[in-house]
Amino acid sequence: MEIFAARVDRAYALHEKEYEQKALEILRSGSYILGRELAAFEEAFAAYIGMPFCVGVASGLDALRITFRMLGLGPGDEVIVQANTFIAGVMGITDCGASPVFAEPDEYFGLDPRGLEGLLTSRTRAVLVTHLYGLMTPMEEILRFCKGHGLLLVEDCAQAHGAAWRGQKAGSFGDAACFSFYPTKNLGGFGDGGAVLVRDAALRDRMRAFRSYGSEKKYYNCMIGANSRLDELQAGLLSVRLRHLDELNTERNVLAERYAGGIRNPLLTLPAPRPETYNVWHQYVLRCPARDALQAFLEARGVRTLIHYPIPPHLSEAYRYLGMKPGSLPAAERLSDTVLSLPMYNGMTEAEQACVIDALNAFSV
Ligand SMILES: *Cc1c(COP(=O)(O)O)cnc(C)c1O
């Protein structure tokens, strides 16, 4: 049996008729950009997460870029971000000219609040928290730190649609929350898409203007903007999937529990989330000192896995200009060398999962 790291066709098949009906309706409507499907999705998604406003944009990266820009950050400003995040978060910071300040992750793959004070400077303006792999970051200490120092808080929720801490959803804690609807995400579309959730109506208005050439009114441009919109087809299909998001996340929790119950190999360290968090398992990431050998072993048995991420942003070629050396963020770098993401997708069968578990349990060095 061949098992892929992700299968987006399975999630489509789960609610095929509903997607097809919605797509046909939109195709026949003659309205494809900035119409009522987007308005309906924005309203439903903001209500689902528990934030006042949603602005649909073209991708998760654009959500991040637009957020830092519209929050008014620029050259000379610093944003604290965890060093093991997906590089899009860092690009969101640097796009407006601001500088990333990397924090080490804790043993749960999240931003370690114990390191925050030491990273504070007179230029610090914001903290970016990523709920990586769908594992919810506890927010108490981070909120206290941001409030205490007058910092903006932005959440990267691209892997955490529906995750929660003590019942409050990821994306509802800060000044802005950025989401991606890339097809493999928990709330995945059928192409690229993203959104920002915000608390402040004026910030929402600036973002709405920016995403459409900087115009709130057609052809009256108040700023130099972008073309970054969530189109009607994506918005309509995402509204369909949003209705099923809780059940899709429940299924991922069942899959995660089955991995946790079935994997018995002392060479592997399984993810162990905190009890006060609801996690949505965008990825199921284990750690293994012999990670590369493990990945090759699984591959030979037909089990495809991924590494999120093999090179931390501070060591990537893109950020060479920051001048950071290997060894400067040992915890994040150790994760890059040891993490492995198992196959995880809605519609994964028990037989497929058993095959992955058997292969993992057969691994030795
Ligand atoms: C996917 C992802 C993004 C970027 O989203 P795109 O829609 O692919 O641009 C940003 N941050 C994280 C954590 C992601 O997983």
Side-chain angles (χ1 to χ4, degrees):
M1 195 185 321
E2 184 140 48
I3 297 154
F4 295 90
R7 294 273 316 248
V8 292
D9 55 327
R10 296 282 181 81
Y12 165 64
L14 288 175
H15 305 103
E16 190 172 337
K17 286 280 162 306
E18 289 173 64
Y19 293 123
E20 290 179 357
Q21 199 179 331
K22 179 54 88 177
L24 263 183
E25 190 190 305
I26 295 164
L27 288 171
R28 288 168 179 164
S29 74
S31 170
Y32 306 127
I33 298 280
L34 295 181
R36 63 165 199 237
E37 290 294 341
L38 176 63
F41 174 72
E42 287 177 334
E43 194 179 326
F45 191 55
Y48 175 82
I49 299 293
M51 276 288 261
F53 306 113
C54 173
V55 181
V57 296
S59 72
L61 174 59
D62 274 4
L64 288 151
R65 289 161 56 169
I66 292 171
T67 292
F68 288 106
R69 202 168 271 264
M70 295 299 102
L71 282 172
L73 270 71
D77 293 329
E78 294 178 354
V79 180
I80 297 174
V81 55
Q82 76 211 57
N84 63 326
T85 193
F86 180 49
I87 199 164
V90 184
M91 292 181 176
I93 294 165
T94 57
D95 181 67
C96 65
S99 303
V101 173
F102 294 104
E104 286 276 45
D106 62 14
E107 61 272 33
Y108 302 94
F109 305 113
L111 176 66
D112 191 341
R114 289 167 297 191
L116 287 172
E117 291 284 348
L119 298 173
L120 196 67
T121 75
S122 58
R123 293 163 175 257
T124 311
R125 290 281 314 279
V127 174
L128 175 63
V129 172
T130 308
H131 307 288
L132 201 67
Y133 310 144
L135 302 176
M136 182 72 200
T137 304
M139 297 304 293
E140 200 159 27
E141 287 176 62
I142 295 168
L143 281 169
R144 199 183 308 126
F145 177 77
C146 289
K147 284 215 176 86
H149 298 284
L151 304 177
L152 296 163
L153 174 61
V154 179
E155 294 178 79
D156 181 344
C157 304
Q159 305 188 356
H161 319 70
W165 176 67
R166 295 184 180 152
Q168 186 179 343
K169 288 204 173 79
S172 66
F173 290 91
D175 299 280
C178 303
F179 287 83
S180 164
F181 307 124
Y182 184 78
T184 58
K185 310 288 185 180
N186 295 56
L187 180 60
F190 296 82
D192 277 311
V196 190
L197 295 184
V198 295
R199 213 171 275 295
D200 180 57
L203 179 59
R204 172 205 60 190
D205 292 344
R206 286 202 299 283
M207 288 180 170
R208 287 207 172 141
F210 186 87
R211 75 176 169 188
S212 200
Y213 315 110
S215 65
E216 277 170 75
K217 194 173 152 210
K218 225 173 184 175
Y219 309 129
Y220 291 82
N221 306 81
C222 55
M223 64 174 96
I224 302 169
N227 176 352
S228 180
R229 300 174 299 216
L230 184 64
D231 66 61
E232 289 291 281
L233 263 173
Q234 293 307 330
L237 295 171
L238 286 165
S239 289
V240 173
R241 187 158 292 180
L242 180 59
R243 292 201 290 271
H244 299 292
L245 180 58
D246 286 345
E247 69 190 76
L248 294 170
N249 282 337
T250 299
E251 183 189 13
R252 283 177 185 266
N253 271 279
V254 171
L255 294 170
E257 270 167 38
R258 217 181 278 144
Y259 272 141
I263 301 169
R264 273 176 230 302
N265 187 332
L267 296 171
L268 312 178
T269 305
L270 305 188
R274 295 174 171 87
E276 74 272 24
T277 56
Y278 176 67
N279 304 289
V280 295
W281 301 101
H282 174 61
Q283 301 292 347
Y284 192 89
V285 177
L286 45 75
R287 279 168 293 162
C288 175
R291 191 268 316 276
D292 293 343
L294 173 64
Q295 186 174 39
F297 177 83
L298 294 172
E299 178 83 31
R301 288 177 159 238
V303 176
R304 307 271 178 83
T305 56
L306 294 169
I307 296 166
H308 299 99
Y309 299 90
I311 300 172
H314 70 282
L315 298 181
S316 71
E317 210 181 319
Y319 287 108
R320 203 189 313 191
Y321 74 86
L322 295 173
M324 296 188 71
K325 298 272 175 295
S328 53
L329 291 153
E333 292 168 30
R334 203 172 322 116
L335 287 179
S336 283
D337 293 336
T338 56
V339 292
L340 191 72
S341 306
L342 301 184
M344 169 58 84
Y345 47 87
N346 287 112
M348 187 177 196
T349 66
E350 275 198 66
E352 285 171 334
Q353 218 182 358
C355 180
V356 179
I357 292 169
D358 289 347
L360 287 164
N361 289 343
F363 175 69
S364 60
V365 282

